[in-house]
Amino acid sequence: MPTDEMTLQIADIAAGAASGDPGQFVVFGDELVFTADGPEGREPWRFDGTSASLVADINPGSFGSGPVGFTEFKGNLYFGAKQQDHIPGSPSELWKYDGIGVDLIEQFSNGPLPQGFTVLGDTLVFSAFEESTGFELWGFDGASVFQIADIAAGAASGDPGQFVVFGDELVFTADGPEGREPWRFDGTSASLVADINPGSFGSGPVGFTEFKGNLYFGAKQQDHIPGSPSELWKYDGIGVDLIEQFSNGPLPQGFTVLGDTLVFSAFEESTGFELWGLRASNRVPAPSCLYLWLMAFAFLVCLRNKLNTVADKVITATT
């Protein structure tokens, strides 16, 4: 059935039957920025609503710079790339695109590209690699680049990831002396949220998702013990609480909020890996023992007064 809709090819970036494989789409101002494989290799491109064009040939020639992580911060678009990606030992780099051209912001040691870009207040937080400190947590305030924390001391890598903004802090996972556990960055310093699996084993948290003022995730407090249960945990900004234990198997994952329900996948031996949900309780908190004693005392005082009143009436009636 005919419609008024029309599809059209915007660009043939890799001419002919070859594939430009465009991806990592992000809207920046009034244009779409993305990566694609053109004659220059994999580089940043843009589409202004009319035509697509190369942003910059960061690694000159046909090698490509392999840009990753386009993230807007203070009016610019930041990303990781390598202008000498084809040369062994070349540095990984932080780049900026301002809508006109690109600029190199910082060079790091040869290794993984800067990634995981997340804005927390006035800081662009990301992971980057230096030989002396490993793959760790870094920040950029618009003027200078600085290392936030060396979670795994020395040349070892804390490998921070799964960044999520929760309130006024950044929550993430990292490999510290306690193994892989949840961490937080409050804008000033980074610290461990909790050693859920005590010792150096780690609980392997996954899926940080905010729901009704708390952050939920999957983890295992006995991950090093065969057959230990998979678990649903909650972080309230102060500490963590165990919400539910499931059978040994995949961690709860795929957390998605639908109205008043946190939907996720979890494993039970009797039903397999299936669809589950969490609904926040509307129950009134159980009264404390002191509260119950006070209520009982008040009741007894009230009862005594009643009995005294009745007794007075009886005496009055008989005299």
Side-chain angles (χ1 to χ4, degrees), residues 135-156:
F135 195 58
E136 293 290 352
L137 197 66
W138 288 73
F140 176 61
D141 59 10
S144 60
V145 175
F146 51 93
Q147 185 169 4
I148 294 170
D150 186 12
I151 294 169

Side-chain angles (χ1 to χ4, degrees), residues 11-14 20 22-26 31-48 51-56 67 70 77 97:
D12 186 13
I13 293 170
Q24 299 190 64
F25 301 115
V26 60
E31 62 185 25
L32 181 76
V33 178
F34 59 98
T35 62
D37 290 311
E40 305 82 7
R42 194 154 196 88
E43 292 287 3
W45 284 68
R46 62 186 156 205
F47 170 57
D48 62 7
S51 61
S53 60
L54 182 70
V55 167
F70 297 126
L77 203 64
Y97 170 53

Side-chain angles (χ1 to χ4, degrees), residues 137 169-173 182-187 189-194 235-239:
L137 197 66
E169 62 184 26
L170 182 77
V171 178
F172 59 98
T173 62
W183 283 69
R184 62 185 156 205
F185 170 57
D186 62 6
S189 61
S191 60
L192 182 70
V193 168
Y235 170 52
D236 61 5
I238 300 173

Side-chain angles (χ1 to χ4, degrees), residues 131-258:
E131 287 184 1
S132 59
T133 59
F135 195 58
E136 293 290 352
L137 197 66
W138 288 73
F140 176 61
D141 59 10
S144 60
V145 175
F146 51 93
Q147 185 169 4
I148 294 170
D150 186 12
I151 294 169
S157 292
D159 192 23
Q162 299 189 63
F163 300 119
V164 60
V165 174
F166 177 56
D168 56 0
E169 62 184 26
L170 182 77
V171 178
F172 59 98
T173 62
D175 291 311
E178 307 81 7
R180 195 155 195 87
E181 292 287 4
W183 283 69
R184 62 185 156 205
F185 170 57
D186 62 6
T188 303
S189 61
S191 60
L192 182 70
V193 168
D195 187 11
I196 293 174
N197 187 3
S200 60
F201 303 103
S203 63
V206 297
F208 296 127
T209 303
E210 187 169 355
F211 175 60
K212 296 199 171 183
N214 297 300
L215 203 64
Y216 291 85
F217 58 97
K220 271 191 176 186
Q221 60 181 326
Q222 295 179 320
D223 195 29
H224 60 293
I225 300 176
S228 61
S230 296
E231 298 159 336
L232 173 64
W233 285 79
K234 176 185 77 174
Y235 170 52
D236 61 5
I238 300 173
V240 299
D241 291 295
L242 174 61
I243 302 301
E244 188 75 28
Q245 287 187 318
F246 299 93
S247 300
N248 176 55
L251 289 175
Q253 56 194 265
F255 298 101
T256 305
V257 177
L258 178 66

Side-chain angles (χ1 to χ4, degrees), residues 224-312:
H224 60 293
I225 300 176
S228 61
S230 296
E231 298 159 336
L232 173 64
W233 285 79
K234 176 185 77 174
Y235 170 52
D236 61 5
I238 300 173
V240 299
D241 291 295
L242 174 61
I243 302 301
E244 188 75 28
Q245 287 187 318
F246 299 93
S247 300
N248 176 55
L251 289 175
Q253 56 194 265
F255 298 101
T256 305
V257 177
L258 178 66
D260 289 331
T261 305
L262 177 64
V263 182
F264 58 96
S265 299
F267 178 79
E268 277 291 342
E269 288 184 359
S270 58
T271 59
F273 196 57
E274 294 291 350
L275 196 64
W276 287 74
L278 171 73
R279 289 194 177 98
S281 173
N282 292 320
R283 292 177 298 175
V284 176
S288 66
C289 291
L290 177 61
Y291 175 79
L292 293 174
W293 276 108
L294 290 174
M295 289 296 292
F297 178 75
F299 172 75
L300 291 174
V301 170
C302 182
L303 180 61
R304 186 194 65 180
N305 292 339
K306 271 287 188 186
L307 291 175
N308 287 341
T309 301
V310 171
D312 290 342

